[in-house]
């Protein structure tokens, strides 16, 4: 049975320490992570900040960042693909050697909050032992089995799940609709475009994790 751990850690143990020190009001949400190299990972992130020009300038000077590409701009948020190196070594080890999967991560100047899913408790225990031996500093918030998770097994971030639930409860998915996207955006204190993109990302993630299989992808 899959086992989920939620924990927090300081920025110096993960990534973007210098960027977040430079822009303490910035908030980062990891949408997904690709770990296909033993020395680096490729995250796809969403960023909220008051000054995107300053944020991108800070990325250029951050030693943990390489190959930054901006994908979209909603006005309130921007999405990026980038490569992280350096201080993320242990996190890469967790993802590659212990079959961990980051399903949610929020970062700010105060640190990072991560949710990682392991295939079973044994792999989590092995990763924890390696973390202790490496002196990796983190604060465990909770550990639970996949039957207790609400949306975690589908790869949704907490914000994506909350948005989908709010839309469902407001009647956004009924026929005919009981609320409009504009009304839902106002309830969520978000712009029309930002909420629209969030709903599309969440829906796409849900479809991919529940309906799309590897054979489907290869046959397409």
């Amino acid at each position: 049975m899959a086992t989920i751990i939620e924990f927090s850690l300081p920025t110096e143990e993960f990534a973007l320490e210098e960027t977040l020190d430079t822009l303490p009001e910035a908030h980062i949400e990891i949408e997904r992570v690709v770990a296909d190299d033993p020395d680096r990972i490729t995250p796809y992130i969403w960023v909220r900040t008051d000054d995107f020009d300053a944020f991108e300038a800070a990325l250029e000077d951050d030693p943990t960042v390489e190959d930054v590409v901006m994908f979209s701009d909603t006005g309130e948020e921007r999405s990026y693909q980038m490569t992280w190196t350096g201080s993320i070594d242990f996190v890469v080890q967790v993802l590659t050697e212990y079959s961990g999967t980051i399903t949610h991560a929020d970062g700010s100047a105060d640190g990072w909050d991560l949710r990682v899913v392991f295939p079973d408790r044994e792999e989590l225990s092995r990763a924890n032992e390696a973390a202790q031996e490496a002196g990796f500093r983190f604060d465990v918030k909770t550990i639970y089995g996949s039957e207790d998770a609400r949306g975690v097994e589908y790869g949704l971030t907490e914000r994506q799940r909350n948005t989908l639930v709010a839309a469902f409860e407001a009647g956004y998915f009924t026929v005919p609709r009981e609320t409009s996207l504009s009304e839902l955006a106002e309830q969520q204190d978000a712009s029309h475009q930002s909420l629209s993109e969030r709903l599309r990302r969440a829906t796409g993630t849900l479809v991919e994790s529940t309906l799309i299989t590897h054979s489907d992808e290869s046959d397409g």
Side-chain angles (χ1 to χ4, degrees):
M1 179 182 64
T3 301
I4 299 101
I5 180 172
E6 295 183 3
F7 61 96
S8 59
L9 68 166
T11 55
E12 60 265 26
E13 294 284 4
F14 193 38
L16 302 183
E17 177 185 6
E18 292 191 11
T19 297
L20 291 170
D21 282 346
T22 302
L23 287 94
E25 46 74 38
H27 182 270
I28 297 170
E29 179 179 326
I30 294 179
E31 181 175 0
R32 65 185 185 277
V33 174
V34 177
D36 52 7
D37 188 288
D39 299 317
R40 61 191 63 209
I41 60 177
T42 302
Y44 296 78
I45 70 172
W46 283 88
V47 179
R48 297 192 300 276
T49 179
D50 294 332
D51 191 339
F52 285 105
D53 289 339
F55 176 80
E56 292 175 2
L59 288 178
E60 293 181 2
D61 297 327
D62 196 313
T64 63
V65 179
E66 296 178 1
D67 305 325
V68 180
V69 178
M70 187 182 76
F71 278 161
S72 64
D73 183 354
T74 70
E76 295 179 341
E77 298 177 298
R78 288 185 183 178
S79 66
Y80 300 87
Q81 173 189 327
M82 59 186 68
T83 299
W84 287 352
T85 62
S87 59
I88 49 81
D89 286 349
F90 182 75
V91 175
V92 173
Q93 183 182 5
V94 165
L95 297 177
T96 55
E97 293 187 24
Y98 305 113
S99 304
T101 300
I102 296 175
T103 61
H104 179 73
D106 280 319
S108 69
D110 295 328
W112 286 89
D113 293 316
L114 279 79
R115 181 195 298 134
V116 180
V117 178
F118 290 89
D120 50 46
R121 215 167 251 277
E122 181 179 352
E123 287 297 286
L124 170 58
S125 296
R126 292 179 59 224
N128 182 57
E129 289 176 5
Q132 300 296 334
E133 292 176 1
F136 188 69
R137 295 181 296 135
F138 61 100
D139 179 25
V140 176
K141 296 180 177 180
T142 184
I143 298 175
Y144 49 96
S146 57
E147 76 277 6
D148 301 318
R150 304 177 64 187
V152 172
E153 64 269 35
Y154 302 122
L156 297 171
T157 67
E158 183 176 358
R159 191 160 63 130
Q160 287 173 341
R161 179 190 175 277
N162 290 342
T163 298
L164 283 175
V165 170
F168 179 83
E169 292 178 344
Y172 180 73
F173 297 113
T174 61
V175 179
R177 282 180 175 165
E178 298 175 8
T179 189
S180 68
L181 186 61
S182 296
E183 290 170 333
L184 190 61
E186 185 175 352
Q187 294 171 12
Q188 295 290 303
D189 193 25
S191 70
H192 184 285
Q193 183 178 0
S194 177
L195 188 66
S196 175
E197 291 218 4
R198 193 185 311 163
L199 275 172
R200 288 202 302 272
R201 296 198 307 269
T203 303
T205 298
L206 196 59
V207 169
E208 181 180 10
S209 62
T210 57
L211 300 179
I212 306 300
T213 65
H214 292 298
S215 60
D216 291 332
E217 293 171 347
S218 60
D219 292 342

